Amino acid sequence: MIDRQTGYRGSNSMREMVQDNNFLLHVISRFDIAYGFGDETIQKVCEDNGVHTATFLAVCNLISGYPYDVASASLESLVNYLRHAHRSITEITLPHIRHHMMEGIVHSQDNKVTPLLIRFFDEYTAEVRQHMAKEDGEIFAYAEQLMAGEKPDGVTLADFVSGHEPMSEKLHELKDIYIYHYRQRDNDMLSSVLFDIILCERDLDTHFEVENRLLVPVVKAAERNCKVAKRVATESSKAVAVLGEREKEIIHYIAKGMTNKQIADVLCLSSHTVATHRRNICAKLDIHSASGLTLYAIVHGLIDLSEISF
């Protein structure tokens, strides 16, 4: 049974979820989950299909009006799902509606209105394709840069999502024109088209909600993580930069467990010179033990773990 207070969980069967909300068949398809899952749990089906379970559950719960967990969602899985949704809407749903729209109004007596309705739909389809292509090329591409740790300086998600609104309004207008203003009998096919339009409206609205209420916060979290990673990397670079090349060589050999004399022999220096360098290193880093200097060398990439004898 589905607990209305907690929503879908990994322990629920996929069958239970689909029976609770048939509209989630769209979601299953767009996560590239194969049908034929029988009575398997959501967790098992996701694992078998290589799908991030927490992201799948977040999307399904959001669409169904249940509590959803943003923090556990995977940015990569979410972007893949949304890209697939774009392809599904622009390459399958909208062409399907147009095809059946042409069949549904073929018997119309009003030859002046019919071409205008088709043109209205074609213009709308072009707008949706342009909108989604922009998201693919900007928002999703930006998210993929964040996943790779390559956030462009001075760029944030806000630069891409200003004015981001659902794309269902014109589709709603077209549906109302057919229902309330377009006079035609023999409407079985046209009624079927109207149901398709209603489903597409809902699909576009839920797609917008997933982008706004899941993608946006997950991308913002990735921005914060990327910012922290950059700061740590910068601080790490600065910490290494305080050492001269000779000092880096010496700390490398200290990490290998060599004595001042052994280091002096390798570098063709006097033991006194090595000792002076070592005192300077300790003063610059405020690290005074060999073990501490070894950890520093590991953290900052001055030595490979394979070179250290434990």
Side-chain angles (χ1 to χ4, degrees):
M1 291 289 294
I2 305 299
D3 186 335
R4 306 286 171 178
Q5 301 301 313
T6 60
Y8 310 125
R9 293 172 294 180
S11 56
N12 290 122
S13 73
M14 192 73 86
R15 182 194 292 267
E16 285 180 298
M17 189 188 73
V18 172
Q19 289 173 341
D20 183 68
N21 184 357
N22 294 159
F23 190 75
L24 295 177
L25 288 170
H26 273 321
V27 178
I28 292 170
S29 174
R30 292 167 188 176
F31 270 102
D32 289 323
I33 292 175
Y35 292 148
F37 37 72
D39 291 313
E40 293 287 4
T41 65
I42 294 171
Q43 178 77 39
K44 180 69 163 55
V45 173
C46 286
E47 289 174 354
D48 288 347
N49 287 271
V51 172
H52 190 260
T53 307
T55 307
F56 177 77
L57 287 169
V59 172
C60 292
N61 279 314
L62 170 58
I63 289 175
S64 300
Y66 295 139
Y68 58 94
D69 181 9
V70 177
S72 299
S74 155
L75 181 55
E76 180 181 7
S77 182
L78 201 52
V79 167
N80 288 340
Y81 163 78
L82 291 168
R83 281 192 184 279
H84 192 146
H86 281 186
R87 293 194 303 272
S88 175
I89 291 167
T90 59
E91 297 175 16
I92 298 174
T93 302
L94 293 175
H96 172 84
I97 291 173
R98 188 186 192 280
H99 174 73
H100 288 289
M101 187 187 301
M102 293 292 291
E103 292 182 346
I105 61 178
V106 72
H107 302 298
S108 171
Q109 300 293 320
D110 195 343
N111 292 324
K112 293 180 181 178
V113 175
T114 299
L116 294 176
L117 290 169
I118 296 299
R119 189 173 73 182
F120 183 97
F121 183 78
D122 287 346
E123 289 174 352
Y124 169 73
T125 298
E127 287 179 21
V128 172
R129 285 181 172 145
Q130 183 179 15
H131 174 91
M132 291 185 170
K134 183 177 180 182
E135 286 184 348
D136 286 341
E138 293 184 1
I139 298 176
F140 298 167
Y142 173 69
E144 287 164 347
Q145 282 184 292
L146 291 177
M147 285 184 263
E150 301 172 355
K151 181 182 183 303
D153 291 331
V155 178
T156 66
L157 179 66
D159 298 317
F160 301 119
V161 299
S162 57
H164 184 232
E165 295 180 356
M167 294 292 295
S168 61
E169 184 177 346
K170 283 191 175 181
L171 204 57
H172 180 79
E173 291 174 1
L174 179 63
K175 178 193 68 180
D176 283 355
I177 289 170
Y178 275 125
I179 295 173
Y180 302 116
H181 306 289
Y182 187 71
R183 297 185 63 83
Q184 173 183 299
R185 296 184 181 278
D186 188 18
N187 285 325
D188 289 341
M189 179 61 76
L190 187 55
S191 294
S192 177
V193 172
L194 288 171
F195 278 115
D196 287 341
I197 290 174
I198 290 168
L199 287 174
C200 187
E201 266 189 272
R202 183 180 174 189
D203 193 10
L204 288 165
D205 285 339
T206 55
H207 181 77
F208 175 78
E209 288 298 305
V210 171
E211 289 180 332
N212 262 23
R213 296 165 67 181
L214 282 179
L215 179 66
V216 168
V218 172
V219 169
K220 285 182 177 178
E223 285 179 334
R224 290 193 295 272
N225 291 339
C226 198
K227 185 177 180 180
V228 170
K230 277 193 171 185
R231 187 177 70 246
V232 170
T234 300
E235 290 172 354
S236 176
S237 297
K238 288 179 180 177
V240 175
V242 301
L243 299 179
E245 290 305 312
R246 179 65 80 186
E247 290 169 331
K248 290 177 186 177
E249 286 183 310
I250 289 173
I251 200 172
H252 172 89
Y253 289 120
I254 291 172
K256 291 185 72 171
M258 296 171 65
T259 65
N260 286 359
K261 173 103 174 36
Q262 290 171 321
I263 296 171
D265 290 343
V266 170
L267 297 178
C268 298
L269 300 171
S270 69
S271 294
H272 174 74
T273 300
V274 172
T276 300
H277 279 306
R278 188 163 184 162
R279 283 195 299 272
N280 291 338
I281 292 169
C282 292
K284 285 181 179 181
L285 302 179
D286 196 23
I287 300 174
H288 301 279
S289 66
S291 58
L293 292 173
T294 299
L295 286 172
Y296 177 93
I298 294 170
V299 168
H300 294 287
L302 298 178
I303 191 169
D304 190 90
L305 281 173
S306 62
E307 299 181 76
I308 300 175
S309 300
F310 293 98

